[in-house]
């Protein structure tokens, strides 16, 4: 039984135990969490051997030889590797998850580049069927109601546990995505979440024309407002923010984190500003009602919406209509463009996507029952006092944002020839098939392969986040080399390459991949104040971590696509959602890099997928 609903609150001596309110995380969730296995620490020898195998397609023979000797030194019995490994194993015994806090700090909170483009993913939803601002606000009202409906499940612990390959998954990330916010610091950031606090928030933030409003979405009895009520409140907000604010205060959040950390300290010296910022941070999520963006041809439209979600288009458009530190911001344009952007520190894509699936289904429901309208107070507008110094910070942020906007090339493509169906009909993993196609596309452009990152979920383990699937292998390289060589037989190489990817994926989701383990050993060395082992200062290690292809499969029932920027100056960000009969994907690159071209790689990926299908079709089934 659910202890929360089962326990009669009146029977509880109030001094000893507080009655548990429904807004508290149900203990049912905690029982589930406790039943999950802990993330293992892989064996040292296994990781070292796999590391060398991973390097083989990426570095020269001489470099590999050099690294071999460093690895052998590292692994020597009684040596530094074993000592660090023991430290890691101790850490793993003591903690719920030896990795998660280190990962949160090193991958996110100590990462100093702007969260915009460099960290926060955007999600493009299918174009909504409205054409005017009434439609926009009605859609926004339904969307808010849909998120609140999902929130009820989180709050009352009735969110169904998810499974992957038959194993239950950690659900913790669901408890981190609402009512949370990143806060900048001069050297590192932090994340606060208010969902578990004594007084959980009851408002969302709405931003329109760069002006921020507190919209209370619950009645005093704890029931959520109806769609009609939310709509009326949104209209009031709209009517009182017809003029664009002169100072797009939100654009400050797009800065380099150290710069923003300093500007933030200044900004909140003022009491009014501090209260306004706190109201945004504490809100359940943000809804951005965007001004129309520049028109685009049908072909360009998807890519245009992708950048609207990812960075807002620059200071002239909607980049100031955001608070990029906020974990969840839904974005709704007047022309039916909609989607969201999320700050990456608290969660990965999958929980966000399952929230999106729920909300999109909810918005499709026909009109709700109309409720008698009780007049509600005007939503409070958040005030900011702008000092000359903050004004300077805003100007600088605008300039930098515009440079970044100019620099980002984003291509969103619908590959309509096939989806999961084709690889499945050949008993191949659709994800492995797409990853190998990407390897082929890259190889055709550059005649070499590169270090490739694909995120793998570690949620089979308590508080698990991700590890790296390294899609580049000797098998993927041999296939890519053979594909355009008429003297080679290719189909067996394709099968081997796809299989190698599947095997690596399997190993990664079981906590046996190499990247987080190597990071752990490195961080353990830092914590132990031992000198840095040479394998971490080696060129090969730098090559291995230079991800020219940063990729992710983010699946959703909704026909949407996620997008993000490259993680290295001369690389690509590639994200895809493979549906049954088509694949939507996004490819990004930086214009300032002469060697990269997102449009070209996107075309190359389409060709590679088609060529791989043709190869399979030409081969008699008996030979497959
Ligand atoms: C939890 O929320 C759902 C709505 O999403 C509702 O159907 C269910 O009755 C609630 N359960 C409890 C125990 O409050
Ligand atoms: C939420 O944030 C607080 C800090 O405000 C932190 O102590 C707590 O661990 C977080 N909750 C969860 C479930 O991570
Ligand atoms: C907003 O303004 C429009 C146009 O002036 C008006 O028709 C509408 O009633 C106003 N809505 C609210 C909620 O004040
Ligand atoms: C994904 O592709 C489908 C099929 O062409 C299309 O209808 C849908 O709008 C696409 N989604 C996005 C977000 O572009």
């Amino acid at each position: 039984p659910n202890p929360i609903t089962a326990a009669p609150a009146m029977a509880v001596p109030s001094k000893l135990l507080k009655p548990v309110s429904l807004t508290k995380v149900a203990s049912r969730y905690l029982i589930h969490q406790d039943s999950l296995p802990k993330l293992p620490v892989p064996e040292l020898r296994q990781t070292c051997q796999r590391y060398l195998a991973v390097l083989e397609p990426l570095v020269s023979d001489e470099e590999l030889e050099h690294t071999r000797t460093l690895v052998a030194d590292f692994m020597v019995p009684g040596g530094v590797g074993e000592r660090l490994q023991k430290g890691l194993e101790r850490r793993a015994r003591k903690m719920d998850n030896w990795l998660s806090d280190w990962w949160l700090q090193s991958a996110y909170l100590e990462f100093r580049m702007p969260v915009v483009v460099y960290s926060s993913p955007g999600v493009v939803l299918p174009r909504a069927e409205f054409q005017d601002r009434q439609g926009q606000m009605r859609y926004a009202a339904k969307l808010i109601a849909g998120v609140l409906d999902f929130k009820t499940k989180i709050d009352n612990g009735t969110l169904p546990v998810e499974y992957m390959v038959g194993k239950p998954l950690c659900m913790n990330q669901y408890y981190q995505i609402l009512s949370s916010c990143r806060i900048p610091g001069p050297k590192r950031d932090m994340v606060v979440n208010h969902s578990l606090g004594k007084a959980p928030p009851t408002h969302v933030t709405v931003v329109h024309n760069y002006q921020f409003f507190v919209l209370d979405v619950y009645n005093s009895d704890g029931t959520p407002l109806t769609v009609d009520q939310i709509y009326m409140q949104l209209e009031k907000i709209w009517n009182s923010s017809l003029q664009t604010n002169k100072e797009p205060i939100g654009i400050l959040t797009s800065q380099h984190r150290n710069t923003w950390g300093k500007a933030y300290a200044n900004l909140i010296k003022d009491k009014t500003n501090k209260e306004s910022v706190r109201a945004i941070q504490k809100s359940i999520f943000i809804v951005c009602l965007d001004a129309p963006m520049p028109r685009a041809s049908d072909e360009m439209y998807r890519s245009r919406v992708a950048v609207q979600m990812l960075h807002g288009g620059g200071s002239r458009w909607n980049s100031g209509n955001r608070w990029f530190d906020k974990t969840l911001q839904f974005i709704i344009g007047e022309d039916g463009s909609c989607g969201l952007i999320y700050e990456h520190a608290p969660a990965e894509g999958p929980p966000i996507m399952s929230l999106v699936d729920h909300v999109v289904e909810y918005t499709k429901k026909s009109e709700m029952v109309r409720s008698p309208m009780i007049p509600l107070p005007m939503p409070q507008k958040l005030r900011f006092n702008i000092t000359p110094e903050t004004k300077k910070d805003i100007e600088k942020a605008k300039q930098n944002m515009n440079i970044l906007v100019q620099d980002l090339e984003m291509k969103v493509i619908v590959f309509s020839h096939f989806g999961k169906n084709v690889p499945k009909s050949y008993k191949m993993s659709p994800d492995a098939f797409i990853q190998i196609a990407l390897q082929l596309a890259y190889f055709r452009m550059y005649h070499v392969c590169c270090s490739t990152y694909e995120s793998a979920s570690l949620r089979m383990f308590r508080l698990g986040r991700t590890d790296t699937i390294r899609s580049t292998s000797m098998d993927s390289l041999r296939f890519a080399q053979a594909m355009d060589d008429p003297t080679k037989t290719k189909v067996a190489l394709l099968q081997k390459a796809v299989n190698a990817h599947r095997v690596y994926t399997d190993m990664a989701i079981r906590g046996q991949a190499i990247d987080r383990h190597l990071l752990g050993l490195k961080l353990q060395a830092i914590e132990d104040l031992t000198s840095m082992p040479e394998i971490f200062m080696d060129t090969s290690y730098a090559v291995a971590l230079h991800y020219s292809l940063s990729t992710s499969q983010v699946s959703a029932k909704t026909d949407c696509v996620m997008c993000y920027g490259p993680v290295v100056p001369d690389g690509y960000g590639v994200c895809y959602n493979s549906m049954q009969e088509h694949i939507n994907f996004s490819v990004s690159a930086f214009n300032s890099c002469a060697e990269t071209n997102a449009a070209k790689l996107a075309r190359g990926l389409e060709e590679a997928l088609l060529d791989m299908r043709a190869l399979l079709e030409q081969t008699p089934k008996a030979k497959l």
Side-chain angles (χ1 to χ4, degrees):
N2 182 339
I4 284 183
T5 47
M10 267 163 48
V12 179
S14 61
K15 275 210 179 123
L16 296 176
L17 279 172
K18 282 201 211 119
V20 188
S21 102
L22 278 182
T23 52
K24 292 275 165 61
V25 171
S27 56
R28 179 172 145 154
Y29 153 74
L30 296 174
I31 291 165
H32 164 68
Q33 288 298 111
D34 281 346
S35 74
L36 293 169
K38 280 191 176 189
L39 180 68
V41 180
E43 275 177 32
L44 184 62
R45 173 168 295 271
Q46 172 187 295
T47 293
C48 289
Q49 279 163 354
R50 285 178 177 168
Y51 174 52
L52 292 171
V54 152
L55 290 176
E56 211 181 325
L58 300 176
V59 303
S60 70
D61 291 348
E62 299 81 64
E63 270 172 321
L64 188 59
E65 228 13 77
H66 176 64
T67 304
R68 253 183 237 290
T69 59
L70 299 185
V71 168
D73 277 356
F74 185 69
M75 272 185 356
V76 83
V80 62
E82 283 192 357
R83 212 171 58 236
L84 297 175
Q85 176 77 3
K86 288 217 176 74
L88 267 191
E89 286 165 357
R90 255 197 315 277
R91 183 179 166 94
R93 278 193 297 274
K94 278 195 310 222
M95 304 182 80
D96 267 345
N97 185 314
W98 62 265
L99 173 65
S100 56
D101 191 53
W102 268 348
W103 181 248
L104 176 67
Q105 296 297 329
S106 63
Y108 299 110
L109 302 180
E110 287 166 9
F111 181 70
R112 305 321 286 161
M113 294 297 274
V115 290
V116 186
V117 173
Y118 297 101
S119 178
S120 299
V123 177
V124 183
L125 292 177
R127 188 175 190 155
E129 283 160 15
F130 59 76
Q131 298 292 339
D132 56 15
R133 74 174 181 85
Q134 269 79 21
Q136 180 186 15
M137 277 186 285
R138 185 136 279 280
Y139 186 87
K142 280 190 176 185
L143 184 142
I144 292 171
V147 181
L148 296 179
D149 189 59
F150 194 81
K151 184 176 181 293
T152 314
K153 289 188 211 271
I154 298 178
D155 289 345
N156 76 11
T158 52
L159 201 63
V161 170
E162 293 169 330
Y163 287 79
M164 184 168 66
V165 295
K167 299 264 168 52
L169 298 184
C170 174
M171 299 297 285
N172 175 265
Q173 290 180 30
Y174 284 98
Y175 296 86
Q176 312 296 333
I177 57 183
L178 297 174
S179 315
S180 63
C181 194
R182 185 162 167 155
I183 294 178
K187 293 221 171 66
R188 70 160 65 166
D189 296 355
M190 54 190 249
V191 179
V192 289
N193 63 65
H194 295 277
S195 55
L196 302 176
K198 283 204 193 76
T202 55
H203 68 282
V204 302
T205 304
V206 177
V207 45
H208 177 235
N209 279 335
Y210 309 158
Q211 294 161 65
F212 292 82
F213 293 83
V214 169
L215 170 57
D216 268 306
V217 286
Y218 288 95
N219 297 304
S220 49
D221 65 357
T223 56
L225 300 192
T226 64
V227 172
D228 288 334
Q229 286 175 311
I230 299 171
Y231 174 81
M232 284 299 286
Q233 296 296 79
L234 289 175
E235 205 173 70
K236 287 181 202 161
I237 288 174
W238 184 285
N239 284 2
S240 65
S241 53
L242 293 174
Q243 298 294 316
T244 300
N245 220 11
K246 279 203 289 295
E247 301 302 344
I249 187 91
I251 208 161
L252 288 173
T253 60
S254 71
Q255 275 281 42
H256 186 279
R257 301 308 294 177
N258 291 356
T259 313
W260 169 218
K262 265 206 216 139
Y264 178 81
N266 246 317
L267 180 72
I268 61 167
K269 274 183 199 153
D270 178 282
K271 190 163 163 279
T272 306
N273 294 349
K274 190 175 182 174
E275 279 166 10
S276 295
V277 166
R278 195 171 151 74
I280 297 172
Q281 289 167 342
K282 209 179 161 187
S283 59
I284 304 168
F285 58 97
I286 295 183
V287 176
C288 309
L289 299 173
D290 268 16
M293 294 276 289
R295 286 191 173 280
S297 64
D298 279 354
E299 203 222 316
M300 296 296 294
Y301 177 79
R302 289 174 210 288
S303 305
R304 208 273 284 141
V305 180
V307 296
Q308 182 183 353
M309 300 309 142
L310 200 59
H311 58 52
S315 65
R316 273 187 65 199
W317 306 99
N318 288 299
S319 297
N321 212 46
R322 305 279 185 274
W323 193 268
F324 287 108
D325 290 354
K326 190 71 190 165
T327 308
L328 251 187
Q329 299 191 83
F330 286 93
I331 299 160
I332 302 160
E334 217 174 297
D335 60 353
S337 56
C338 50
L340 64 102
I341 179 167
Y342 74 94
E343 201 290 298
H344 212 327
E348 263 74 53
I352 306 281
M353 287 316 213
S354 91
L355 170 69
V356 164
D357 282 341
H358 182 87
V359 170
V360 168
E361 274 312 302
Y362 194 94
T363 57
K364 282 184 194 152
K365 276 202 247 174
S366 55
E367 290 301 298
M368 326 283 141
V369 253
R370 294 195 171 256
S371 50
M373 284 292 203
I374 308 153
L376 294 166
M378 170 68 203
Q380 178 206 349
K381 180 173 169 174
L382 296 173
R383 310 261 157 210
F384 287 95
N385 296 320
I386 311 281
T387 62
E389 196 166 0
T390 295
K391 189 167 166 51
K392 255 205 278 177
D393 291 335
I394 291 174
E395 287 310 311
K396 194 80 205 143
K398 281 189 194 169
Q399 277 172 23
N400 287 339
M401 185 76 230
N402 294 341
I403 293 169
L404 185 55
V405 164
Q406 285 304 310
D407 198 16
L408 188 80
E409 182 195 3
M410 173 63 71
K411 235 19 229 175
V412 172
I413 302 262
V414 176
F415 177 78
S416 52
H417 303 275
F418 60 88
K420 291 181 190 165
N421 54 345
V422 163
K424 273 188 184 163
S425 73
Y426 292 97
K427 304 218 160 30
M428 289 179 171
S429 140
D431 183 57
F433 191 85
I434 295 169
Q435 285 287 331
I436 298 306
L438 191 55
Q439 290 295 313
L440 176 58
Y442 188 93
F443 185 84
R444 281 173 166 171
M445 258 175 100
Y446 297 98
H447 310 292
V448 289
C449 60
C450 68
S451 206
T452 305
Y453 182 113
E454 182 188 0
S455 47
S457 173
L458 289 179
R459 282 176 59 211
M460 271 189 206
F461 305 100
R462 200 182 307 162
L463 301 183
R465 296 287 302 258
T466 60
D467 206 325
T468 309
I469 300 166
R470 289 184 168 270
S471 304
T472 308
S473 62
M474 281 312 287
D475 291 317
S476 71
L477 178 61
R478 286 193 195 105
F479 165 67
Q481 284 167 334
M483 191 63 186
D484 297 321
D485 180 345
T487 67
K488 293 269 170 60
T489 37
K490 305 162 178 83
V491 81
L493 294 175
L494 170 59
Q495 285 173 316
K496 264 186 108 168
V498 167
N499 195 48
H501 182 275
R502 207 196 50 74
V503 169
Y504 202 112
T505 302
D506 204 52
M507 168 177 115
I509 62 175
R510 294 191 151 73
Q512 300 294 327
I514 64 167
D515 280 86
R516 301 301 182 265
H517 188 202
L518 289 172
L519 175 74
L521 292 164
K522 186 178 164 192
L523 294 176
Q524 188 66 44
I526 293 171
E527 216 163 87
D528 291 355
L529 302 171
T530 19
S531 60
M532 188 50 69
E534 285 200 57
I535 59 161
F536 298 122
M537 302 195 293
D538 181 25
T539 315
S540 294
Y541 191 59
V543 171
L545 292 184
H546 191 89
Y547 293 112
S548 296
L549 285 172
S550 165
T551 76
S552 188
Q553 160 168 258
V554 182
S555 308
K557 292 199 196 93
T558 308
D559 211 344
C560 56
V561 64
M562 189 175 273
C563 55
Y564 48 74
V567 298
V568 294
D570 57 346
Y572 297 94
V574 181
C575 197
Y576 50 93
N577 180 10
S578 43
M579 308 294 281
Q580 220 32 251
E581 289 177 2
H582 68 273
I583 308 167
N584 301 34
F585 62 91
S586 64
V587 181
S588 63
F590 289 117
N591 289 317
S592 54
C593 174
E595 282 77 44
T596 53
N597 184 328
K600 195 168 165 197
L601 185 69
R603 275 197 306 278
L605 178 56
E606 294 191 283
E607 273 167 33
L609 286 164
L610 290 172
D611 291 352
M612 281 163 55
R613 176 177 71 174
L615 175 63
L616 290 168
E617 281 174 351
Q618 284 156 16
T619 311
K621 281 254 170 181
K623 295 215 165 160
L624 288 171

